[in-house]
Amino acid sequence: MPGALVVVGSVNADLYVEIERLPARGETLAGANAAMRPGGKGANQAAAAARLGQETWLAAQLGTDAFATPLRAALGEAGVKLDLVTAVEGESGQAFILLQRGGENSIIVVGGANGRWGGVGAAVRDRIAGAGALLLQREVPEEVNLAAAAAAHAGGVPVVLDAGGVDAPIAPALMRLVTVFSPNETELARLTGLPTSDDAQVLAAARRLQAGGVATVLVKLGARGALLVPPAGEPLRQRAFPVEVVDSTGAGDCFTAAYAVAMLEGQASAARLTFACAAAALCVQQRGALPSMPRRDAVERFVAAL
Ligand code: RIB
């Protein structure tokens, strides 16, 4: 039985509208199918892991607005343990998602409660210290991630950091505590200052991060798949599985969480990559971030049919 996964991160009300294309400056466009769907990188990753059968705790902050109740309910229905999800006065996190034809999106995030952490409490630190792994992203203040990663490090717990959430440098003190770092190719380029247009460039940029102390680099390449660069030995390349993309929102979260689950289960590196790409392939076929996280049986059926 793998140890528990603790996810520290954000919860957002994703406010969707579907459009043909982005409006030009000063232009008004008609949208359709406006809807609130649960999301936020922390919530998405926790829900994905729980749906894949992993015992998962989320440490997060909701507001006291009308979004808080449905967001908490969605996490509970996914099987996420909610004891460490607290309420802070004011608005919950929100993400305004412009979903375009072909599944591409443009997103504006209002941090709300995700930005109002007053520290990482003893209950969260204790849960992390006893976990099998800690999973982080970058939609909460950096000092929250630093405190969580320090608690994991003190307990010998591996830390997986998804680079998604904010376009800003990462504190070297945090990077030094990370076991698996997972950027997409754009984030990798920004963080290293190196081009990431092809596999050779991606590998060179990942090696640059490793030279700075990161053990394993797991690069999400979107429609091109993923590249796993372990600290020693050959990199592993997994092509994406061709599926019809309805909504790519949350696919990266799904991928990173599925990789973390497979890692906790002790799956071999190649199997982890296949599992994570399969989960992401299922995720992009549904609307919404958290609602589109696939269940274990669906991922296993997908992999078995490959
Ligand atoms: O990674 C996808 C998430 O990013 C969405 O659910 C949205 O909340 C934004 O934070």
Side-chain angles (χ1 to χ4, degrees):
M1 184 82 174
L5 178 68
V6 177
V7 181
V8 177
S10 58
V11 186
N12 290 335
D14 286 355
L15 304 169
Y16 269 76
V17 62
E18 294 180 28
I19 52 174
E20 286 293 319
R21 59 174 175 81
L22 290 174
R25 184 190 293 260
E27 184 184 23
T28 300
L29 285 181
N33 300 330
M36 191 289 270
R37 300 187 175 101
K41 294 182 191 302
N44 295 340
Q45 295 187 3
R51 286 213 177 123
L52 292 170
Q54 169 64 48
E55 181 186 6
T56 304
W57 302 76
L58 174 64
Q61 296 195 159
L62 288 165
T64 49
D65 56 3
F67 292 130
T69 300
L71 292 175
R72 180 180 282 275
L75 285 160
E77 281 162 22
V80 177
K81 296 188 185 299
L82 300 175
D83 314 48
L84 305 175
V85 177
T86 57
V88 294
E89 190 62 34
E91 65 186 1
S92 298
Q94 295 167 49
F96 296 83
I97 299 186
L98 305 176
L99 178 61
Q100 294 138 68
R101 183 181 285 276
E104 287 301 309
N105 59 37
S106 299
I107 303 180
I108 299 164
V109 173
V110 177
N114 300 308
R116 296 198 296 272
W117 285 66
V120 174
V124 176
R125 283 187 271 115
D126 288 350
R127 182 62 62 186
I128 291 169
L134 171 67
L135 179 52
L136 303 171
Q137 333 73 37
R138 307 192 69 217
E139 275 188 338
V140 295
E142 186 100 312
E143 53 272 23
V144 171
N145 279 343
L146 258 170
H153 191 69
V157 175
V159 178
V160 180
L161 172 63
D162 188 312
V166 66
D167 178 15
I170 302 177
L174 175 58
M175 287 299 264
R176 280 195 289 274
L177 301 174
V178 171
T179 320
V180 179
F181 179 63
S182 185
N184 62 29
E185 71 265 61
T186 308
E187 292 156 349
L188 181 61
R190 285 187 187 139
L191 289 166
T192 60
L194 294 173
T196 56
S197 303
D198 58 35
D199 283 8
Q201 291 179 347
V202 168
L203 179 58
R207 294 279 190 224
R208 172 73 61 86
L209 289 178
Q210 288 178 320
V214 178
T216 295
V217 181
L218 174 63
V219 189
K220 295 179 278 267
L221 298 169
R224 290 172 47 227
L227 180 74
L228 176 67
V229 188
E234 288 301 303
L236 277 176
R237 183 74 166 84
Q238 172 68 59
R239 300 278 159 202
F241 302 116
V243 293
E244 189 199 349
V245 179
V246 172
D247 179 5
S248 60
T249 314
D253 299 328
C254 181
F255 175 89
T256 308
Y259 181 90
V261 169
M263 180 186 83
L264 270 166
E265 292 174 353
Q267 293 190 35
S269 297
R272 292 180 198 177
L273 271 185
T274 306
F275 187 72
C277 283
L282 290 167
C283 174
V284 299
Q285 296 180 63
Q286 307 286 331
R287 280 181 176 72
L290 191 154
S292 68
M293 297 304 160
R295 298 201 172 277
R296 179 82 185 209
D297 56 347
V299 178
E300 286 180 349
R301 275 198 307 276
F302 188 98
V303 171
L306 290 173

